[in-house]
Amino acid sequence: ALEAAVVRRLRLLLDCHVTAPGGRLVQGAVATVWYSDKSAAGRASQRSCAHLEEAEDDAAAHFVLRLAFCSQVLHEDWFVVRELALLRRRWKALGMATQKEELARAGLSIYTDDADAWCNVPFQDVPAFLIAKRRVTLNQGVACVPLSEAGSILATRFESQLREGLRHARANMHICQTHIGLDDIVMRIRAFGERLLQERS
């Protein structure tokens, strides 16, 4: 059951249209804390799944894929880019009310008026592409981000957390090797991933 869930999630990653945060296609690309109960990004992703059991399987599959793709930087970059694309797709599928709820749970202050909604975040937390696109306004070190762009804040946080998680996984692979069934699945998925990257390079 676990391996089937891993294959399903891998197919989701392969099907994602990979774009850079600003919307530009990433050339040559085939993207925790994510699924922690305390993670807004995780809850947002899980809510797009039809059933809790499906969400739990999807979460477990994500962590197996972390183990499979953490061994080399090239594999790690492929995985991170695809996971970010999947997060963006699932975030867009959420309704506005749910997005506001998740942003608030992530500690972002949400403001609304008759026409617009936005959130305030520290300037250093704003993705560079939003500043380059002039999608934010700045005032005394605080950035005002339109709600339509606020998912990028969670995506930036997720990328940082995911890369840290991959580094931790790479440094602790010996623990995985003590679990024979899990280690077998990770090795098979890793071998498949290596073949895939070679075919698409």
Side-chain angles (χ1 to χ4, degrees), residues 115-144:
D116 298 305
W118 64 92
C119 61
N120 287 345
V121 297
F123 170 73
Q124 63 268 22
D125 292 345
V126 178
F129 81 90
L130 288 182
I131 298 172
K133 289 169 59 179
R134 299 184 179 180
R135 296 293 295 156
V136 302
T137 57
L138 305 176
N139 182 24
Q140 297 181 345
V142 177
C144 178

Side-chain angles (χ1 to χ4, degrees), residues 175-186:
I175 298 176
C176 174
Q177 292 166 0
T178 65
H179 299 274
I180 303 302
L182 176 60
D183 189 46
D184 289 345
I185 293 174
V186 169

Side-chain angles (χ1 to χ4, degrees), residues 17-27 29 81-82 84-85 88 92 127 129-130 133 149 152 155 159:
H17 296 289
V18 179
T19 58
R24 178 178 55 81
L25 181 67
V26 176
Q27 301 297 329
V81 167
R82 285 285 168 172
L84 287 170
R88 291 188 188 99
K92 289 179 181 178
F129 81 90
L130 288 182
K133 289 169 59 179
E149 303 283 1
S152 299
E159 180 177 4

Side-chain angles (χ1 to χ4, degrees), residues 67-180:
L67 295 171
F69 285 92
C70 72
S71 60
Q72 297 182 32
V73 173
L74 176 63
H75 298 172
E76 175 183 316
D77 288 343
W78 184 95
F79 180 64
V80 169
V81 167
R82 285 285 168 172
E83 283 286 353
L84 287 170
L86 180 59
L87 174 60
R88 291 188 188 99
R89 186 170 79 179
R90 288 178 166 179
W91 180 257
K92 289 179 181 178
L94 297 178
M96 180 72 73
T98 304
Q99 289 184 355
K100 287 182 180 179
E101 179 183 339
E102 296 304 335
L103 290 167
R105 287 182 177 176
L108 302 181
S109 301
I110 309 297
Y111 301 91
T112 59
D113 58 25
D114 292 339
D116 298 305
W118 64 92
C119 61
N120 287 345
V121 297
F123 170 73
Q124 63 268 22
D125 292 345
V126 178
F129 81 90
L130 288 182
I131 298 172
K133 289 169 59 179
R134 299 184 179 180
R135 296 293 295 156
V136 302
T137 57
L138 305 176
N139 182 24
Q140 297 181 345
V142 177
C144 178
V145 182
L147 197 63
S148 60
E149 303 283 1
S152 299
I153 306 297
L154 295 185
T156 299
R157 291 181 181 181
F158 171 62
E159 180 177 4
S160 176
Q161 294 161 352
L162 178 56
R163 289 192 182 278
E164 178 60 31
L166 288 166
R167 285 192 291 270
H168 182 74
R170 188 160 51 245
N172 292 277
M173 282 302 297
H174 60 282
I175 298 176
C176 174
Q177 292 166 0
T178 65
H179 299 274
I180 303 302

